[in-house]
Amino acid sequence: MDSDADVRPKPLLPSAGQLTPPNAEAHPLTQPVLEARDLLVVRGGRHVLDIERFAVAAHETVAVVGPNGAGKSTLLLALTLLVRPQRGSLFLHGQVVTPRLALDLRRRIGLVLAAPMLLDTSVRQNVASGLRFRGIRGRQAGIRVDEWLDRLGILALRDRHARELSSGEAQRVSLARAFVLDPELLLLDEPFASVDVAARAQLIDDTERLLRETSRACVFVTHDLDEAGRLGTRMAVIVNGRLRQDDVPQRVLSAPSDAEVAAFVGVQTRLPGRVESVHDGLAVVDVGGRRIEALSTLSPGRQVMCCLRPEDVTLRVSDRFSPAPPVTSARNHLIGNIVKVVGKGPFVQVTVDCGQMLVADVTKMSATEMGLREGESVEATFKATAVHLIALPL
Amino acid sequence: MDDLVQITLLSLGVSGIATAISLLIGLPLGTVLALSVFRSRGLVLSVVNTGMALPPVVAGLAIALMLWRSGPLGDLNLIYTPTAIVIAEVVIATPVILGLAAAGIGQLDPRLQLQLQGLGASRLQTVWWLWREARLSLVAALMAGFGSVISEVGAAMMVGGNISGQTRVLTTAIVLDVGRGEFGTAIELGGILLALAFLVNGVLTWAQQSGQRR
């Protein structure tokens, strides 16, 4: 589709401040599609969003994650100037977007909200609505609408009324309505939250495929880490209105930047300790009298928090008759008593008291085989590489 | 008989024009009231709601004072003309349409406005589609506005003067006939008035329902 030029509105005012279309020569590839700097949104005297810099580059899918009420949706609305920030500036391909150019900006993006928010009309009319706003009607619009209905697998529903759709179908219409605009940037706010579980997996698959096929820049908000890890090429964690970490998903999950991010990304074991010594990048941390080895470059004496994901801990029933496990230098072994066993999907989550509480995920089958129950003494093992140290403020 | 046709047409014309003008004033203001956030919004809403309950005779009195020969607008020579009745009825119907339109638009999900704007709708396009979404409430507001003026008698009497062949409308004619003891004519006129109200509301209801089915 070479319809970029058609989607873009005719210049409202041919002023110098007009947002111009992207130009590959003038803008190096490294330049973000949209960038926000020094963004502050205040509501009811509270700083609901306070972000130094947030940017999304072409071909990138940024997953914005964080607890409920952290300011994720506010960020999305602020990026479209649907929420007017108290302070801060937006740049589209490096050009400042003033409030007067808000409509121009919005006509180059596609917004999908958590609830499908369909109009009281047919599926086709709904998908065509954004095109109509841009003055695209008739045959040309019809062809594009049908194409996107097809790509989202809802072509058969095109003459149905929006009220007659299931939650999954409705959200597909909402996605088609944004994709059909061929926007430079897609903004999706919890796009799968309203969809019932049965339809969700397929919808996530399809969205992932479409984002890849169109290689569209995308920012999507979610509180679901699985979704974020699957769709996101980058993950931005927002807690209490602040951007705490912005990195590739794998690093956010394994090396959270602070204790709150760690808690949010599911690092359940967080042990406070102090670095005793560091040799060749291998640190020995004193955790309540027990030694834990971890990879780190922090200097000795530093107060730290040892973060450990539950899936990285293995348990073994400590039995004095069984041979001791092979001891490797980069392995940590802690003995303790099980204090809690909780079922969690295909896993059993076991909390072990080793002086400090340690959480491990064990498959249901091995939990049964090992006879893990409360009171049982076990040995918890984890690699030094699985431990992530967060330096606590001095 | 000619008299009857003339009275009926005048009733319909005056109320229709007054309702149309009220819609032109009330719908934009109601939209602004529903969509904007400002400090004195609560005050404005209570003024509008009071206006919805405004006794027609009070509206009539106010307009009569304005248009009276010695009043501030007396030079316009509008008192005891159909135009005077239209003005009084606009004063009566506008708060009704404004208030109900604001309520109808206010009932829409606020996220709908965000979604429309997020899809690139301009301010006018956004308002147009919000009206479209609220069309059932808006038609109801229109019916309520028309109902409030077609059935009104006090103001029409006061500013129109119930002059035969000039400003006599159905309601004022009924009052006159009952005063004279001519119940037969009064019942006849009452029947026409009812039929008229039924007809107009029937058409609007049909439009409302077919809009919903579509």
Side-chain angles (χ1 to χ4, degrees):
Chain A
M1 297 213 305
D2 62 341
S3 39
D4 259 23
D6 303 320
V7 180
R8 224 158 284 121
K10 298 284 171 289
L12 305 169
L13 294 165
S15 70
Q18 187 71 36
L19 293 172
T20 54
N23 176 334
E25 284 169 52
H27 306 289
L29 284 172
T30 51
Q31 185 159 52
V33 175
L34 189 66
E35 181 182 359
R37 277 188 222 149
D38 201 22
L39 208 58
L40 176 70
V41 178
V42 180
R43 201 179 293 142
R46 206 170 69 85
H47 287 202
V48 291
L49 197 66
D50 186 353
I51 284 176
E52 260 173 52
R53 182 176 181 274
F54 179 84
V56 54
H59 315 310
E60 193 179 34
T61 303
V62 183
V64 177
V65 298
N68 282 333
K72 308 184 292 284
S73 299
T74 308
L75 171 65
L76 216 58
L77 294 178
L79 290 179
T80 53
L81 291 177
L82 286 170
V83 162
R84 191 74 71 82
Q86 264 68 23
R87 194 187 68 207
S89 20
L90 277 184
F91 301 88
L92 186 67
H93 297 287
Q95 282 180 295
V96 177
V97 183
T98 59
R100 211 171 52 81
L101 296 173
L103 181 63
D104 212 351
L105 166 74
R106 289 186 205 126
R107 287 193 171 168
R108 289 163 68 170
I109 57 157
L111 178 72
V112 175
L113 297 178
M117 285 294 136
L118 297 186
L119 299 165
D120 187 13
T121 179
S122 72
V123 166
R124 279 191 97 188
Q125 292 298 322
N126 262 287
V127 176
S129 58
L131 293 173
R132 280 176 75 165
F133 297 152
R134 289 156 175 75
I136 302 167
R137 291 158 176 275
R139 237 179 85 78
Q140 192 202 359
I143 292 167
R144 282 171 69 172
V145 167
D146 284 356
E147 183 203 330
W148 278 99
L149 287 173
D150 191 27
R151 289 180 84 167
L152 276 147
I154 46 172
L155 189 57
L157 304 176
R158 67 180 193 174
D159 294 319
R160 286 257 202 105
H161 194 281
R163 266 196 304 264
E164 300 161 6
L165 303 176
S166 71
S167 62
E169 291 164 348
Q171 195 60 312
R172 277 171 189 271
V173 174
S174 183
L175 283 165
R177 186 168 61 172
F179 270 111
V180 75
L181 302 172
D182 198 16
E184 287 164 50
L185 174 65
L186 273 165
L187 299 174
L188 317 177
D189 186 2
E190 301 263 8
F192 316 117
S194 69
V195 178
D196 52 65
V197 183
R200 193 177 300 166
Q202 185 62 48
L203 184 55
I204 295 175
D205 276 349
D206 290 352
T207 309
E208 189 181 9
R209 177 175 51 79
L210 292 174
L211 283 175
R212 204 176 49 234
E213 285 173 4
T214 58
S215 61
R216 203 53 66 205
C218 173
V219 177
F220 93 102
V221 164
T222 181
H223 61 266
D224 186 314
L225 287 168
D226 293 336
E227 280 175 20
R230 269 187 61 189
L231 295 186
T233 51
R234 228 175 75 212
M235 201 185 268
V237 188
I238 295 186
V239 181
N240 286 331
R242 289 185 157 273
L243 184 59
R244 297 292 186 84
Q245 192 166 9
D246 190 351
D247 211 331
V248 292
Q250 197 44 50
R251 277 205 51 81
V252 175
L253 295 177
S254 62
S257 62
D258 63 46
E260 278 178 295
V261 173
F264 177 73
V265 299
V267 173
Q268 278 165 314
T269 304
R270 299 187 294 278
L271 311 172
R274 191 175 147 275
V275 179
E276 277 193 343
S277 62
V278 185
H279 290 295
D280 297 330
L282 191 65
V284 177
V285 184
D286 174 57
V287 177
R290 293 165 198 249
R291 300 235 158 102
I292 288 181
E293 294 185 335
L295 296 187
S296 173
T297 53
L298 292 168
S299 48
R302 189 74 195 243
Q303 297 292 330
V304 293
M305 182 167 281
C306 304
C307 295
L308 197 52
R309 297 195 69 86
E311 60 268 27
D312 291 335
V313 181
T314 49
L315 294 181
R316 186 172 163 278
V317 180
S318 37
D319 179 351
R320 72 186 85 162
F321 302 113
S322 70
V327 178
T328 56
S329 63
R331 273 196 171 271
N332 294 292
H333 303 274
L334 294 175
I335 308 252
N337 289 323
I338 296 178
V339 291
K340 202 162 76 177
V341 179
V342 183
K344 192 184 109 183
F347 293 102
V348 173
Q349 195 154 72
V350 183
T351 310
V352 183
D353 181 3
C354 315
Q356 300 282 347
M357 293 300 170
L358 210 116
V359 181
D361 278 349
V362 181
T363 60
K364 274 203 172 118
M365 191 186 274
S366 43
T368 317
E369 276 173 12
M370 290 192 283
L372 298 178
R373 31 173 202 277
E374 287 171 26
E376 196 82 14
S377 174
V378 289
E379 182 186 48
T381 309
F382 49 92
K383 289 180 180 170
T385 49
V387 183
H388 167 66
L389 297 186
I390 294 175
L392 296 177
L394 292 169
Chain B
M1 194 60 210
D2 277 355
D3 212 24
L4 214 62
V5 171
Q6 193 267 334
I7 290 175
T8 307
L9 287 179
L10 186 65
S11 267
L12 197 59
V14 163
S15 301
I17 291 168
T19 309
I21 295 173
S22 299
L23 184 70
L24 288 178
I25 303 170
L27 185 55
L29 288 182
T31 308
V32 170
L33 194 57
L35 299 183
S36 52
V37 185
F38 51 95
R39 204 176 301 165
S40 47
R41 190 165 179 269
L43 181 71
V44 174
L45 267 176
S46 23
V47 169
V48 169
N49 287 332
T50 309
M52 287 174 78
L54 180 73
V57 275
V58 175
L61 175 63
I63 297 302
L65 286 174
M66 299 286 280
L67 299 182
W68 206 256
R69 304 240 186 268
S70 55
L73 300 177
D75 293 342
L76 298 176
N77 283 322
L78 287 176
I79 192 82
Y80 301 141
T81 62
T83 311
I85 307 180
V86 169
I87 294 172
E89 291 189 342
V90 167
V91 172
I92 294 162
T94 300
V96 174
I97 293 182
L98 199 165
L100 292 178
I105 294 167
Q107 269 170 9
L108 294 174
D109 194 321
R111 291 173 297 175
L112 189 63
Q113 194 191 345
L114 290 181
Q115 178 68 79
L116 287 168
Q117 290 179 304
L119 287 168
S122 68
R123 197 169 298 199
L124 281 179
Q125 288 169 331
T126 305
V127 166
W128 173 255
W129 280 86
L130 290 178
W131 283 351
R132 205 178 167 282
E133 291 297 300
R135 59 190 181 270
L136 299 186
S137 318
L138 296 183
V139 172
L142 195 62
M143 287 196 274
F146 182 78
S148 72
V149 291
I150 188 78
S151 60
E152 187 284 322
V153 57
M157 189 72 100
M158 234 181 288
V159 302
N162 193 21
I163 302 167
S164 176
Q166 289 178 39
T167 59
R168 182 163 296 172
V169 291
L170 284 167
T171 51
T172 56
I174 294 172
V175 172
L176 184 72
D177 284 337
V178 171
R180 285 180 186 152
E182 290 175 17
F183 291 104
T185 332
I187 290 170
E188 209 174 305
L189 290 169
I192 295 175
L193 186 59
L194 262 179
L196 212 57
F198 180 78
L199 200 73
V200 170
N201 281 304
V203 168
L204 288 175
T205 308
W206 173 80
Q208 194 184 37
Q209 297 306 322
S210 71
Q212 192 176 21
R213 261 198 308 276
R214 218 182 325 116

